[in-house]
Amino acid sequence: MSRISSALLLLLSLYFTTLSSPFLLPLPSSQPSKTSLSTSKVVILGGGFGGVYTALSFPKREDVQITLVSPSDRFTFSPLLYELATGDCDIDEVCPTLDSIFSEHSSTSNSINIVQSEVESLDLPSRSVKLSTNVTLDYDYLIVATGKIPQTTSPVPVKSLENDEQINSYIYSSKNSSLTGKFSSQNGTWITYLPSPTSSPKKMRTSEAYLSPAYPLHPPPTLQLKNSVLNFTTINDALLLRKKLPTLTSSSTVTIVGGGYSGVELCTSIKSLLNCNVNLIQRGQRILKTSTSDFNVKKSTETITQLGVNVTYNTSLIKSTYSSSCVVSTLSNGDKINSDVLIFTQPSSDYTVPDYGDLLSGHTTIQVDDCLRCVNRVYGKSYKNVFGLGDIVGGGKATAQKTMQQAGIVGYNVLSGIEGRKPLKFKYVDLGEMLTLGEEGVVSGLGGRVEVGGKVGGLMRKLVYTARMPTTQTRVRSLFGDISRAKQN
């Protein structure tokens, strides 16, 4: 690539990134509000894109006290999660600690009080949040960014992480694992639970309620099937897969359930890395069913075909059992697939869903108005001091890009409430999408005016994601990590 081409690529990537930053909003005042006689307490629930980028959007003000509640001590830059699994990135590049993120911004923005805990319940009339640690936080403004509420749980067996020091060395916090299931320490038996077909998510609060103990699995004691069935949605999942991949060979078989962005990136990366047998199970008629880019769908389909990934469309997985040497997956079309590793890319969790009160009222998502203020599901009225963003909000596809845009609006509107100003309405600007296909990538955006594939697309994707990371420190770490790995290769 010529120097001119490289410069044009860099400028285009920076143009993409500039447009996606918290959105040319009127700058909020960094001075205390003249109408406020006391400090306003802002409580943010969630340490993902919504929570972190909203917290970073607040300027430094003496009359605003911010508390962020997260079950994890790390933020996950989820678009790069698969690169953590394949060893292309280190954990601190993809999942920096919340302390490191907010300490860097302490000189220009508010000091963020981080509380590591699950949320137990909200008391909207009394303006308080009860945590699983028996701590109650009072608030003047509440921001709900806790992520998607799972409606089913994947059939993933898990051994008690506390009993496996080797795995623990790859997992920073076993209690935050999204792996589900039970392990009998008496006889070393795996017991896996599959979703019950009669479950009604709207009537149930915990993922345990969605499980049916209909399929106890008993692998032979001599068979080392530990970590042969995995989820792929969290830091822990990526690190478990990172531990598993070096044990596979070109004759191994990996089956991935879900043909969305994670499934497509995983199957192409694993195929390119190991050149093993890779199966992709997709419930719909095409991969990337939520994609708005025909270019990306076309390029991804072509790459999957060229790499030799076996794709089964219009099919779902019914159950998984163990044979003497592998995991046997039964599909809805009657076929059976033998795999050394089975990976689920759909979100699932074993945590208890918090009591959101009238924000949910039997639903699985929160409703917000045009200004991202949460709506009371019973009375249909918006709360002036409660905001929602990210996957927990219903209506349209939730992406990291959309959530980052919402964060800037929410932060601005909270300060507008404190200062007695009119809030801004949120309008999503779809800048496009990017994904990696093995050693290459595809980028499509700006209404189809930018469509780039191949290694150039992969480089552009990496540049844009590096620039979108939350702090200068994480951007520099990611950039130098890429340079170091490039030299080694």
Side-chain angles (χ1 to χ4, degrees):
M1 185 187 300
S2 68
R3 291 184 179 181
I4 295 178
S5 299
S6 300
L8 289 174
L9 174 61
L10 178 58
L11 288 174
L12 184 58
S13 299
L14 292 176
Y15 176 63
F16 243 87
T17 304
T18 302
L19 285 179
S20 65
S21 321
F23 277 60
L24 306 179
L25 300 173
L27 291 176
S29 174
S30 60
Q31 300 300 320
S33 171
K34 295 180 180 180
T35 62
S36 176
L37 300 178
S38 61
T39 299
S40 296
K41 297 179 180 179
V42 179
V43 174
I44 301 174
L45 307 181
F49 277 94
V52 168
Y53 282 84
T54 300
L56 293 175
S57 72
F58 286 92
K60 192 174 185 66
R61 289 174 52 141
E62 296 177 358
D63 64 336
V64 178
Q65 176 186 316
I66 301 175
T67 300
L68 184 141
V69 180
S70 173
S72 172
D73 64 345
R74 289 181 181 265
F75 162 75
T76 300
F77 197 88
S78 52
L80 298 182
L81 194 62
Y82 92 92
E83 291 178 281
L84 175 62
T86 57
D88 289 334
C89 287
D90 294 328
I91 186 169
D92 287 330
E93 295 177 53
V94 182
C95 311
T97 65
L98 295 175
D99 281 334
S100 67
I101 291 174
F102 295 126
S103 62
E104 182 178 333
H105 282 254
S106 60
S107 61
T108 57
S109 61
N110 281 49
S111 177
I112 312 295
N113 178 32
I114 303 170
V115 178
Q116 189 173 350
S117 175
E118 299 276 2
V119 177
E120 188 171 301
S121 62
L122 307 182
D123 190 335
L124 298 172
S126 68
R127 297 189 176 188
S128 64
V129 178
K130 185 178 180 181
L131 306 181
S132 59
T133 52
N134 291 324
V135 173
T136 299
L137 300 175
D138 297 325
Y139 66 83
D140 297 299
Y141 290 87
L142 178 66
I143 299 168
V144 183
T146 48
K148 184 177 181 179
I149 296 176
Q151 299 184 32
T152 58
T153 300
S154 298
V156 180
V158 60
K159 182 176 179 179
S160 174
L161 297 177
E162 292 81 3
N163 296 332
D164 194 328
E165 295 180 359
Q166 189 174 19
I167 297 179
N168 257 335
S169 65
Y170 279 80
I171 300 178
Y172 72 92
S173 176
S174 61
K175 74 174 184 177
N176 292 328
S177 174
S178 71
L179 302 179
T180 58
K182 296 185 182 299
F183 177 78
S184 172
S185 58
Q186 295 181 350
N187 56 12
T189 299
W190 295 96
I191 302 177
T192 301
Y193 295 94
L194 298 183
S196 171
T198 60
S199 297
S200 177
K202 292 184 179 181
K203 297 181 180 179
M204 300 178 182
R205 290 199 179 280
T206 68
S207 60
E208 186 73 20
Y210 311 147
L211 305 179
S212 172
Y215 305 103
L217 307 182
H218 306 277
T222 57
L223 180 61
Q224 299 299 317
L225 282 175
K226 180 175 59 181
N227 301 336
S228 291
V229 187
L230 302 171
N231 273 322
F232 192 75
T233 55
T234 69
I235 311 171
N236 295 344
D237 301 336
L239 294 174
L240 286 170
L241 181 57
R242 183 168 178 160
K243 175 70 175 176
K244 184 68 179 179
L245 288 179
T247 68
L248 304 179
T249 66
S250 59
S251 61
S252 300
T253 298
V254 176
T255 298
I256 298 169
V257 181
Y261 297 98
S262 294
V264 169
E265 289 187 318
L266 264 182
C267 75
T268 53
S269 296
I270 292 176
K271 183 69 176 180
S272 299
L273 182 67
L274 301 175
N275 194 28
C276 61
N277 303 310
V278 178
N279 302 304
L280 181 64
I281 310 302
Q282 171 62 356
R283 187 166 50 186
Q285 297 179 353
R286 70 167 207 185
I287 59 173
L288 304 176
K289 66 178 182 179
T290 62
S291 174
T292 58
S293 168
D294 292 337
F295 174 79
N296 282 7
V297 174
K298 178 182 177 182
K299 285 294 184 181
S300 298
T301 303
E302 290 175 352
T303 301
I304 284 176
T305 302
Q306 292 170 359
L307 290 174
V309 175
N310 305 308
V311 185
T312 304
Y313 294 100
N314 300 314
T315 306
S316 57
L317 184 142
I318 301 300
K319 68 175 182 178
S320 299
T321 57
Y322 292 105
S323 71
S324 59
S325 59
C326 62
V327 180
V328 181
S329 300
T330 302
L331 307 183
S332 58
N333 62 5
D335 292 346
K336 292 186 177 181
I337 297 178
N338 298 336
S339 308
D340 297 286
V341 179
L342 177 64
I343 304 171
F344 294 84
T345 61
Q346 296 301 316
S348 62
S349 177
D350 61 351
Y351 71 85
T352 301
V353 178
D355 181 2
Y356 289 101
D358 291 343
L359 294 187
L360 284 181
S361 189
H363 297 78
T364 56
T365 58
I366 287 174
Q367 182 181 351
V368 297
D369 64 15
D370 292 341
C371 300
L372 300 179
R373 296 173 297 196
C374 292
V375 175
N376 185 304
R377 286 282 195 177
V378 178
Y379 300 106
K381 295 183 178 180
S382 300
Y383 292 93
K384 293 183 179 181
N385 66 328
V386 182
F387 296 82
L389 71 159
D391 291 344
I392 188 68
V393 174
K397 181 179 67 171
T399 62
Q401 177 190 161
K402 182 177 181 179
T403 302
M404 290 169 69
Q405 295 180 27
Q406 290 174 329
I409 292 290
V410 168
Y412 182 87
N413 284 347
V414 168
L415 293 180
S416 295
I418 294 174
E419 298 173 357
R421 292 184 285 105
K422 185 178 179 179
L424 293 177
K425 293 183 178 181
F426 173 70
K427 183 175 178 59
Y428 175 52
V429 180
D430 188 354
L431 297 172
E433 58 186 34
M434 305 174 288
L435 66 158
T436 294
L437 305 172
E439 297 179 353
E440 300 183 350
V442 289
V443 176
S444 176
L446 300 178
R449 289 188 288 273
V450 176
E451 293 181 341
V452 183
K455 293 186 177 180
V456 175
L459 177 59
M460 179 185 291
R461 168 189 173 274
K462 187 61 178 176
L463 285 172
V464 172
Y465 279 152
T466 297
R468 283 181 176 178
M469 287 184 172
T471 68
T472 301
Q473 183 181 5
T474 54
R475 296 182 197 114
V476 171
R477 183 186 295 126
S478 177
L479 183 60
F480 277 90
D482 290 338
I483 293 174
S484 177
R485 283 184 289 272
K487 288 181 178 180
Q488 291 176 1
N489 295 333

